Amino acid sequence: MSGGCVLSNVIASQTRLHAAYGGVVPELATREHLRNLLPVARQALRDAGLTAGDLDAVAATQGPGLPGALLIGLKAAQALAFSLGKPFLGIHHLEAHLYSPWLSSAPNPNLNPNLNHNPNPPHADFAQFQPSVSLIVSGGHTLLVQVKGEFQHGVLGSTVDDAAGECFDKVGKLLGLAYPAGPEMDRLAGQGNPRAHCFPRPMLHDPGDDFSFSGLKTSVRYFLEKNPALPDDPARLRDLCASVQAAIVDVLVAKTIRAALRLGAPCVTVSGGVACNSALRRDLARACRREGLVLRLAEKKYSTDNAAMIGILAERKLLARLPSTSLDAEIEPSWAL
Ligand code: KG4
Ligand code: ZN
């Protein structure tokens, strides 16, 4: 990351590895992090055309997350910072998600065309569009956050049970789809009828900003107990996926827009793996247009977990001259936003 531009963003995906087990296996995730860390760091420097000595600082996710995986990244980054004599920054994973909608990989012909430089550095944009309401939707989190300004944010609401991505994954599992099922449900739903079945929209009319998705999953389970052959019929499977997706998306869109209007926030931003969902992107765009709100959706590659969002937040902290993190700091697996 340099001046708001993404110089490189290398991702070592573990999706296939965990798919065989139907979910993330913490021990395997830790082992894979250990295996991938140095090759990924070397590749990131190569892509950026830099050496380690060129770095101004080293950053890593400090929390929240799986303890083993956090430990590998944090300790390796602290060791690198120590050896280079450069500051280290421990970054909050969810705070970094707030910045993913401001990352862009649009090429800038004035810079090295092989690199992902951003012609509109997001730093200026970020300040211009505050306050905003930010939706973070992934396999582990469903959060509505009020962003008042740089490093000033407060959680408005979160899920009281399953996360939105977890709901996609668990319903997909009931339907016999591979983990993580969100992308495949999205694909099937695109060819189905969202009004074929009416599933509950949990907490849609609750005045608060919290979410709940486990009841929706349970009602799909009861529905499938009564219709066990449905997943074998491709057309009915597509309709079911579209109907479940519509229930999840309706709640996410309605509660996000309602919070933005209530707080007078002119801008809505969205990130996290579920932000890749086509219906969510489409319906949020429509709703924001209707209400006169600015929408910043993270590009798909910056919606799922990535290093660029960690980099941009670290750079913002350096620019704001916030103190660096101790080289002895420990992981924060349950760090609240
Ligand atoms: O942010 P992420 O990559 O990892 C964490 O959970 O931290 O999000 C992964 C989640 C999974 O639950 C996956 O099923 C969901 O995002 N997901 C989607 C789509 N793409 C990924 N859900 C619905 N539609 C999609 N297109
Ligand atoms: Zn995440």
Side-chain angles (χ1 to χ4, degrees):
M1 179 66 56
S2 175
C5 298
V6 181
L7 300 183
S8 60
N9 183 45
V10 182
I11 294 178
S13 173
Q14 298 189 10
T15 306
R16 278 169 172 232
L17 175 76
H18 297 288
Y21 301 90
V24 174
V25 183
E27 289 78 7
L28 286 185
T30 306
R31 199 179 67 192
E32 281 302 293
H33 270 61
L34 195 54
R35 217 199 302 267
N36 291 332
L37 195 136
L38 284 179
V40 164
R42 286 199 190 99
Q43 184 66 42
L45 285 171
R46 257 197 309 277
D47 288 357
L50 299 173
T51 65
D54 297 324
L55 301 177
D56 294 323
V58 182
T61 305
Q62 193 172 354
L66 292 175
L70 290 173
L71 199 61
I72 303 289
L74 188 86
K75 293 299 154 189
Q78 286 170 326
L80 181 60
F82 175 72
S83 70
L84 295 171
K86 298 286 165 69
F88 167 72
L89 289 123
I91 298 296
H92 193 296
H93 177 79
L94 296 170
E95 188 178 14
H97 265 301
L98 298 176
Y99 283 78
S100 5
W102 306 96
L103 289 163
S104 164
S105 57
N108 182 348
N110 297 324
L111 297 166
N112 180 345
N114 296 322
L115 303 180
N116 283 333
H117 286 291
N118 179 2
N120 306 306
H123 291 182
D125 292 355
F126 184 81
Q128 190 183 339
F129 289 113
Q130 307 314 319
S132 62
V133 163
S134 192
L135 175 68
I136 303 175
V137 260
S138 70
H141 301 278
T142 304
L143 281 182
L144 261 185
V145 183
Q146 182 183 20
V147 182
K148 294 183 188 154
E150 188 93 284
F151 318 123
Q152 290 179 299
H153 39 70
V155 174
L156 298 166
S158 58
T159 180
V160 297
D161 40 55
D162 291 352
E166 198 176 354
C167 184
F168 272 109
D169 296 339
K170 286 180 173 173
V171 169
K173 194 170 182 181
L174 294 173
L175 297 172
L177 305 179
Y179 172 88
E184 181 64 358
M185 285 202 45
D186 186 357
R187 195 184 69 75
L188 292 167
Q191 303 152 16
N193 175 7
R195 280 182 286 275
H197 310 282
C198 186
F199 288 112
R201 269 73 173 151
M203 295 179 94
L204 178 60
H205 300 296
D206 185 280
D209 294 317
D210 282 338
F211 299 91
S212 163
F213 291 104
S214 74
L216 171 58
K217 168 203 66 194
T218 307
S219 77
V220 177
R221 185 155 61 79
Y222 289 149
F223 178 83
L224 286 171
E225 278 169 13
K226 288 190 198 131
N227 301 274
L230 186 145
D232 301 329
D233 178 334
R236 294 182 72 202
L237 177 63
R238 291 194 289 266
D239 285 349
L240 186 72
C241 288
S243 303
V244 173
Q245 178 176 274
I248 297 173
V249 167
D250 279 359
V251 176
L252 293 175
V253 172
K255 298 200 85 159
T256 303
I257 299 291
R258 198 194 302 158
L261 295 177
R262 187 184 75 236
L263 297 167
C267 180
V268 166
T269 71
V270 191
S271 67
V274 181
C276 295
N277 184 267
S278 343
L280 180 62
R281 295 177 89 85
R282 181 198 63 211
D283 290 0
L284 265 173
R286 276 188 194 148
C288 284
R289 238 187 340 264
R290 193 176 57 235
E291 302 295 345
L293 299 167
V294 175
L295 175 64
R296 288 288 295 235
L297 287 163
E299 278 181 40
K300 288 188 184 180
K301 69 175 167 193
Y302 299 131
S303 291
T304 49
D305 289 346
N306 65 85
M309 68 184 195
I310 307 297
I312 191 174
L313 176 51
E315 187 175 57
R316 298 297 296 172
K317 290 191 170 206
L318 280 180
L319 288 171
R321 301 189 186 285
L322 295 189
S324 58
T325 311
S326 161
L327 290 176
D328 295 327
E330 299 297 342
I331 56 169
E332 299 279 357
S334 310
W335 202 356
L337 186 63

